Amino acid sequence: MPHDDMSPPAARPGTAHPTWWRTPLVASAFGLPCLGLEYVWFRSEDGAGAFGGILYWAAGLLALAWLLPHRRSLRAPRMLAAGAGLGCALLPVLFALALGVALTAN
Protein backbone atom coordinates (compact mmCIF):
# COMPACT_ATOMS: atom_id res chain seq x y z
CA MET A 1 0.00 0.00 0.00
CA PRO A 2 1.54 3.35 -0.99
CA HIS A 3 2.18 5.98 1.64
CA ASP A 4 -0.38 8.80 1.73
CA ASP A 5 1.41 12.15 1.91
CA MET A 6 -1.80 13.86 2.98
CA SER A 7 -1.93 12.11 6.37
CA PRO A 8 -0.86 14.12 9.42
CA PRO A 9 2.67 13.49 10.72
CA ALA A 10 1.39 11.84 13.92
CA ALA A 11 -0.52 9.24 11.88
CA ARG A 12 2.55 8.11 9.95
CA PRO A 13 4.35 5.14 11.48
CA GLY A 14 7.89 5.73 12.66
CA THR A 15 7.70 9.52 12.93
CA ALA A 16 9.37 11.24 15.84
CA HIS A 17 7.39 13.10 18.46
CA PRO A 18 8.27 16.80 17.94
CA THR A 19 8.41 17.72 21.64
CA TRP A 20 9.84 14.50 23.07
CA TRP A 21 12.65 16.40 24.80
CA ARG A 22 10.52 18.60 27.09
CA THR A 23 9.83 16.09 29.86
CA PRO A 24 13.43 14.83 30.20
CA LEU A 25 14.70 18.42 30.08
CA VAL A 26 12.45 19.62 32.91
CA ALA A 27 13.23 16.56 35.04
CA SER A 28 16.96 16.91 34.38
CA ALA A 29 16.94 20.65 35.09
CA PHE A 30 15.72 19.99 38.62
CA GLY A 31 17.17 16.52 39.19
CA LEU A 32 20.77 16.86 38.05
CA PRO A 33 21.65 19.82 40.32
CA CYS A 34 20.13 17.90 43.24
CA LEU A 35 22.12 14.80 42.33
CA GLY A 36 25.30 16.86 42.15
CA LEU A 37 24.69 18.46 45.53
CA GLU A 38 23.78 15.12 47.09
CA TYR A 39 26.92 13.55 45.68
CA VAL A 40 29.07 16.30 47.21
CA TRP A 41 27.11 16.11 50.47
CA PHE A 42 27.43 12.31 50.76
CA ARG A 43 31.06 12.41 49.67
CA SER A 44 31.84 14.76 52.56
CA GLU A 45 30.09 12.37 54.95
CA ASP A 46 32.24 9.41 53.84
CA GLY A 47 29.73 7.65 51.61
CA ALA A 48 26.11 7.61 50.60
CA GLY A 49 25.07 4.85 52.97
CA ALA A 50 21.43 3.86 52.54
CA PHE A 51 20.83 6.50 49.85
CA GLY A 52 23.51 5.18 47.48
CA GLY A 53 21.13 2.99 45.53
CA ILE A 54 18.61 5.80 45.19
CA LEU A 55 21.23 8.06 43.63
CA TYR A 56 22.09 5.39 41.05
CA TRP A 57 18.41 4.77 40.30
CA ALA A 58 17.82 8.51 39.86
CA ALA A 59 20.70 8.87 37.42
CA GLY A 60 19.66 5.74 35.54
CA LEU A 61 16.01 6.76 35.22
CA LEU A 62 16.91 10.26 34.04
CA ALA A 63 19.24 8.74 31.45
CA LEU A 64 16.50 6.31 30.38
CA ALA A 65 14.10 9.22 29.86
CA TRP A 66 16.60 10.73 27.40
CA LEU A 67 17.50 7.45 25.68
CA LEU A 68 14.03 6.10 24.92
CA PRO A 69 13.10 6.27 21.23
CA HIS A 70 11.48 9.55 20.24
CA ARG A 71 8.10 8.11 19.22
CA ARG A 72 4.76 9.44 20.41
CA SER A 73 3.81 5.96 21.64
CA LEU A 74 6.62 6.11 24.23
CA ARG A 75 5.51 9.44 25.71
CA ALA A 76 4.02 7.83 28.84
CA PRO A 77 7.05 5.64 29.64
CA ARG A 78 9.31 8.66 29.08
CA MET A 79 7.21 10.75 31.49
CA LEU A 80 7.20 7.93 34.06
CA ALA A 81 10.97 7.46 33.84
CA ALA A 82 11.61 11.20 34.11
CA GLY A 83 9.18 11.62 37.01
CA ALA A 84 10.54 8.62 38.90
CA GLY A 85 14.12 9.82 38.31
CA LEU A 86 13.23 13.27 39.61
CA GLY A 87 11.47 11.76 42.61
CA CYS A 88 14.49 9.60 43.42
CA ALA A 89 16.79 12.61 43.04
CA LEU A 90 14.69 14.70 45.40
CA LEU A 91 14.11 11.96 47.98
CA PRO A 92 17.28 12.45 50.09
CA VAL A 93 16.77 16.23 50.21
CA LEU A 94 13.11 15.89 51.14
CA PHE A 95 13.98 13.29 53.77
CA ALA A 96 16.59 15.61 55.31
CA LEU A 97 14.08 18.49 55.35
CA ALA A 98 11.39 16.33 56.96
CA LEU A 99 13.88 15.08 59.55
CA GLY A 100 14.95 18.66 60.32
CA VAL A 101 11.33 19.77 60.74
CA ALA A 102 10.60 16.79 62.99
CA LEU A 103 13.61 17.48 65.19
CA THR A 104 12.83 21.18 65.57
CA ALA A 105 9.17 20.53 66.38
CA ASN A 106 10.01 19.20 69.86
Side-chain angles (χ1 to χ4, degrees):
M1 183 169 173
H3 179 66
D4 182 19
D5 288 333
M6 299 302 288
S7 63
R12 292 186 207 140
T15 58
H17 185 246
T19 58
W20 68 268
W21 50 269
R22 284 186 185 168
T23 302
L25 180 67
V26 170
S28 297
F30 291 109
L32 289 179
C34 282
L35 281 175
L37 289 173
E38 289 163 359
Y39 178 75
V40 170
W41 177 32
F42 289 137
R43 183 84 172 174
S44 70
E45 296 295 323
D46 199 27
F51 289 112
I54 293 172
L55 298 178
Y56 291 123
W57 272 99
L61 286 168
L62 288 174
L64 177 66
W66 281 104
L67 295 176
L68 281 172
H70 307 154
R71 292 190 301 257
R72 187 177 297 272
S73 63
L74 292 174
R75 181 176 14 180
R78 184 177 296 109
M79 291 175 82
L80 288 172
L86 180 60
C88 288
L90 294 177
L91 185 66
V93 172
L94 295 176
F95 181 74
L97 288 174
L99 188 62
V101 168
L103 289 175
T104 59
N106 280 336

